Every structure is written in structure tokens, then in C-alpha cells.
Amino acid sequence: MMTSNEIREKFLNYFESKGHTRVSSSSLIPHNDPTLLFANAGMNQFKDTFLGISTLPYSRAASSQKCVRAGGKHNDLESVGKTARHHTFFEMLGNFSFGDYFKREAIEYAWEFLTQVLGLPKDKLWVSVYEEDDEAFNLWREISKVPQDRIVRLGEKDNFWSMGDTGPCGPCSEIYIDRGEEHSCDADKCELGVCDCDRWRELWNLVFMQYDRDEHGNLTPLPRPSIDTGMGLERIATVMQDVYSNYDTDLLRPIIAFVEDMTGKEYFEDERGFPFRVISDHSRA
Ligand code: SER
């Protein structure tokens, strides 16, 4: 079994081998950004670089960023403990290009990392692209050879990423793993893009950063198109550790065991385990 520490290290190592500078997570409390209470994505600490306001001594970076999504534009609080995949606090693995590479390399790296480095089965992976993004659709076809019925075109809600109401944003492309038909829900259409159940596990979001959104919603092209990706460490850990829920990984399960010890109560993976999952998520946060 691959531990979460090993997965994180493999990710950072892989991107270093592709010329990225390894950058530490920023503090959860963002510096100099009144638009955010807590860091909510790996790209936050690079916001000014995406906007062209500041420069860095490197044009490629990779990090594992501590994030909290418990309010604001990205808020997963109400889903915690109910789904297998949501948290308030989580770690986001990300690679970034500041006006260096764009869609092609972002897709090549993500595909190579998942299928070659981690060895995930290609036939279980699905992709979504922004509905108007023919370029991303064609690149996925060319690079991954994923059949076109496993590349889904979705609208702005799913495939256009913004950090907050203002700031850098752009169309995105997400990589999902199908956890198997046996995990289908009761919905009439348990299909990717239609159904939000745990069968379809979004692993990695590749954002093609192209615009700055102002307070009136106007989009201004960024000085240099860039890349911002994010993959939840807890989510990829479930796949590599062959468990169904993030709460059964080596990141969360020890906390649940601790709560069992403290309370003298047994944890169950079904709805009876809800308070254990909430306590383990919130205490970790
Ligand atoms: N910023 C994007 C996200 O949070 C990709 O990292 O999903």
C-alpha cells in the first residue's frame, strides 16, 4: 500500500523532474489577500504572479497546499461526513505554469503521472472539458486516447474555475475515476456530469488560467496564459490505498480510531459513522 506521504512525495518529485520548483504550502491564513479568509487552493499564493503584478525566479512550480473550504465561494462544510470525499481541511497537490507551458503539457503531465507513475487503470478514467473547449477535447483524444464517450463536455458551473468572486480564472478540465457500477446511486441517470454521487470521483482539476475577473464580472485576458492544477491528496489516497472513502485512508482513519478510543464507541462506515467523520475532519482542520 502506498502511504499518503509517499504519494505526496511522488507527486512533488515527478514535477521536479519536469523542471518545476518545489514550493512549500503557504500559511492557511493568506497574507495580503483581503478576498480570502483561508487558503482555498494551491494557486492562492501565486495569485499576483498569474495576474502579472509580480514575478518569481521560476516559471514552473509544484506544491502540496493546506486548504480549508468552509465558507465563501468554495464551501464543502455541509457535505462533510455525508459523502466519501469532502472535507473542510485538505491538502491539494498542484503544478503551476506561469506563462510557460499551457494545455498540452498540463494534460500530458497529468496523464503520465496518473497512468505511468501511479499506474491507475486507463479504462477507469474519465475526463470533463469546458463545453466550448474543443482544443482541450482534441488534446485529450490525442494524448490519452481516451474514447470520446469518456470525455464529457460540461458548462460553466463544473468546468470554469474561479478562485473567488474576483481574480484569476479560466476554463478547466477534470479527471475522474469511476469507482465502479456497484457504487451507482439510485438516481435515474447516474452519469458523470449529471450525478454528484461518490461513484464518480473527481481526482484532479486542470485549470487553464486565462482571465482576471473584476467585481462587475468582466473578464480581462491575463498577460500570459498559465496553468493551475489541483488534486486532493485525500482523494488520490483512497484510490492508491484501495479504500472507498477518504475517511478510510491513513490520513483520517487514525483520527477516527482515536475518537473510538476516547468515546468507547465503535465506528461504522455507513451513516452511523457520520459524527466520527465530522469530528475527525473538524479536529484535523
Ligand atoms: N484551483 C483549482 C482548484 O482548486 C485547481 O487547483 O480546483
Side-chain angles (χ1 to χ4, degrees):
M1 185 191 87
M2 205 182 281
T3 66
S4 297
N5 284 341
E6 286 164 348
I7 298 168
R8 186 194 301 106
E9 188 54 33
K10 267 193 196 300
F11 180 90
L12 296 170
N13 241 314
Y14 171 80
F15 281 100
E16 279 179 324
S17 80
K18 304 289 180 191
H20 293 62
T21 297
R22 183 188 292 226
V23 177
S24 298
S25 169
S26 74
S27 161
L28 263 181
I29 313 281
H31 296 290
N32 299 327
D33 190 346
T35 70
L36 279 181
L37 183 58
F38 293 116
N40 68 8
M43 53 72 65
N44 295 163
Q45 64 170 319
F46 305 116
K47 181 177 167 185
D48 285 351
T49 309
F50 285 122
L51 293 176
I53 297 169
S54 67
T55 52
L56 290 166
Y58 44 82
S59 61
R60 298 174 173 216
S63 69
S64 182
Q65 173 68 44
K66 292 175 274 189
C67 298
V68 164
R69 291 189 172 179
K73 187 169 177 64
H74 299 281
N75 182 1
D76 292 331
L77 183 62
E78 297 306 325
S79 303
V80 169
K82 296 176 190 162
T83 71
R85 64 188 198 279
H86 287 102
H87 299 290
T88 53
F89 172 85
F90 65 100
E91 267 185 83
M92 187 183 276
L93 303 169
N95 57 291
F96 308 94
S97 151
F98 311 115
D100 186 327
Y101 60 86
F102 199 43
K103 293 183 188 179
R104 173 176 288 278
E105 290 87 342
I107 292 172
E108 278 172 357
Y109 292 152
W111 190 250
E112 183 174 67
F113 182 74
L114 291 179
T115 61
Q116 304 291 318
V117 180
L118 297 185
L120 297 192
K122 292 181 184 170
D123 61 341
K124 296 271 184 294
L125 297 176
W126 288 62
V127 171
S128 69
V129 297
Y130 183 51
E131 55 197 351
E132 292 164 16
D133 197 347
D134 294 332
E135 188 189 2
F137 184 94
N138 291 332
L139 283 167
W140 274 112
R141 291 282 292 141
E142 179 197 325
I143 294 163
S144 70
K145 313 280 187 292
V146 165
Q148 53 185 13
D149 57 358
R150 279 200 275 124
I151 307 178
V152 181
R153 290 177 188 260
L154 299 177
E156 194 162 330
K157 182 173 90 49
D158 294 290
N159 279 76
F160 194 96
W161 198 85
S162 319
M163 180 184 118
D165 294 331
T166 60
C169 55
C172 62
S173 177
E174 297 182 308
I175 306 165
Y176 292 77
I177 190 158
D178 179 1
R179 296 308 311 259
E181 214 167 318
E182 66 276 23
H183 296 298
S184 253
C185 65
D186 298 333
D188 289 345
K189 275 185 135 191
C190 184
E191 289 171 13
L192 179 62
V194 182
C195 189
D196 196 31
C197 80
D198 280 322
R199 172 176 174 185
W200 306 102
R201 210 65 67 87
E202 181 207 326
L203 293 176
W204 203 342
N205 185 13
L206 316 181
V207 182
F208 310 129
M209 282 291 188
Q210 276 174 288
Y211 305 105
D212 180 14
R213 193 197 302 264
D214 70 17
E215 59 274 25
H216 307 295
N218 300 319
L219 299 177
T220 309
L222 291 179
R224 297 176 306 167
S226 294
I227 290 294
D228 151 35
T229 87
M231 172 158 62
L233 176 64
E234 295 75 4
R235 292 186 182 189
I236 190 68
T238 62
V239 179
M240 298 312 293
Q241 296 175 10
D242 200 19
V243 292
Y244 185 64
S245 165
N246 292 12
Y247 290 89
D248 295 328
T249 64
D250 62 345
L251 292 164
L252 274 302
R253 195 61 194 229
I255 307 179
I256 290 181
F258 186 77
V259 179
E260 283 183 305
D261 278 351
M262 276 176 72
T263 59
K265 301 220 182 293
E266 191 184 348
Y267 173 65
F268 296 95
E269 287 167 18
D270 57 23
E271 59 274 14
R272 288 169 292 171
F274 173 70
F276 287 83
R277 292 189 287 275
V278 170
I279 293 168
S280 65
D281 170 85
H282 290 9
S283 59
R284 185 167 175 247

